[in-house]
Amino acid sequence: MSEQEPQELPEPGPPAAPQGRVLAAVAAGGALGALARYGALVLWPTPGGGFPWTVFVVNAAGCALIGVLMVLTVERGRVTHPLVRPFLGVGVLGGFTTFSTYAAGVSDLLVRREALTAMAYAAATAVAALGAVWAAAAGTRAWLDRGPGGSGGEGRVA
Amino acid sequence: MNWLLVAIGGAVGAPLRYLTDRAVQAHQGTGVPYVFPWGTFTANAAGSLLLGLLTGVAVSSPAHALLATGLCGALTTYSTFSYETLRLAETGRTLLAGANVLASLLTGLGAVFLGAELTGGFGG
């Protein structure tokens, strides 16, 4: 790994942490996120050939949560600990949500000749995920902007 | 037992995705905000291909927990994919945002089918 780490985003972001600690945070978060997804699948198994509701809900929920997280960290700098985004964003939420299971789910439905369900699942996940991240990010921004914004104190709006 | 294997798979998959993203970003040059998110795209495609390969070979339940649920599940992501798509749209790159969604879906699907085909097909 190179030592120089240019910021990939122009907004105020958390300071860089040592790469080893970042990787450890990502790994720990990934384990927790994958466990949470597995737990959801154990609790709410979906039969083959049907709409994979559990993965659908997992992905939509993870997208809503990353919308909140990214506004609080990268966009607004309200949470500045350098390991928060690697742990919660890249690790937990990245490990919780999944693209491979989604793609395999669509493929499986196609192979079972459940084309309508396959297309509904493919489209509904994309729409729900994008809708969730948009609504959550917009809601968090609005919540942060509710008073006198910026990094000012908790002054009242007259 | 399967829980532990899922955790191990997740603990490997997530850093692999992070490193893939960093490597791809370093390759395309960082500092350019909101260019096409090739890093996440690459990780999602690779994880989908690997999951397809696993589909073709009938793996045992522990192997499935470790490699499919844990590793492939954490190597790929929907949350970062959707946030990056949102940022593309919000910064006026609507076409790129749409292209990201379509290309990711089609590539992921194709990768699953290709992987399964390479190792014996969906019936395998």
Side-chain angles (χ1 to χ4, degrees):
Chain A
M1 258 103 353
S2 78
E3 286 300 307
Q4 54 205 34
E5 296 179 10
Q7 286 291 112
E8 62 261 43
L9 293 167
E11 290 96 337
Q19 188 75 341
R21 294 179 65 187
V22 170
L23 280 174
V26 169
L32 287 176
L35 277 176
R37 172 165 39 82
Y38 181 63
L41 287 164
V42 169
L43 276 175
W44 303 290
T46 44
F51 193 96
W53 283 108
T54 307
V55 177
F56 171 83
V57 171
V58 160
N59 277 334
C63 289
L65 290 172
I66 206 162
V68 175
L69 180 76
M70 293 302 278
V71 170
L72 288 178
T73 56
V74 177
E75 280 187 34
R76 297 295 178 87
R78 288 301 181 101
V79 180
T80 53
H81 193 288
L83 292 179
V84 166
R85 191 183 155 204
F87 177 69
L88 288 179
V90 186
V92 174
L93 294 178
F96 184 56
T97 61
T98 174
F99 202 93
S100 53
T101 311
Y102 161 72
V106 175
S107 307
D108 182 63
L109 287 166
L110 288 175
V111 168
R112 290 170 185 265
R113 305 202 183 285
E114 300 281 356
L116 212 62
T117 312
M119 285 189 284
Y121 176 49
T125 300
V127 170
L130 292 170
V133 73
W134 171 79
T140 308
R141 288 171 193 147
W143 182 71
L144 290 176
D145 292 339
R146 73 201 183 288
S151 54
E154 294 293 319
R156 279 177 197 278
V157 183
Chain B
M1 181 61 184
N2 278 358
W3 292 84
L4 180 65
L5 292 169
V6 167
I8 294 171
V12 174
L16 271 180
R17 168 166 40 81
Y18 174 75
L19 292 173
T20 302
D21 192 38
R22 295 301 299 260
V24 170
Q25 279 189 15
H27 183 71
Q28 71 180 12
T30 46
V32 187
Y34 313 128
V35 290
F36 193 82
W38 284 114
T40 303
F41 178 90
T42 305
N44 279 344
S48 299
L49 179 67
L50 183 56
L51 188 55
L53 290 168
L54 291 168
T55 308
V57 290
V59 293
S60 62
S61 169
H64 190 270
L66 177 73
L67 298 173
T69 310
L71 181 67
C72 293
L75 174 58
T76 61
T77 177
Y78 220 99
S79 49
T80 304
F81 158 71
S82 63
Y83 180 75
E84 288 170 343
T85 306
L86 175 73
R87 291 304 296 160
L88 284 174
E90 285 181 340
T91 51
R93 300 162 194 231
T94 322
L95 208 63
L96 272 183
N100 188 35
V101 173
L102 264 186
S104 294
L105 175 54
L106 293 179
T107 306
L109 266 180
V112 168
F113 274 110
L114 175 67
E117 214 43 57
L118 286 173
T119 52
F122 274 87

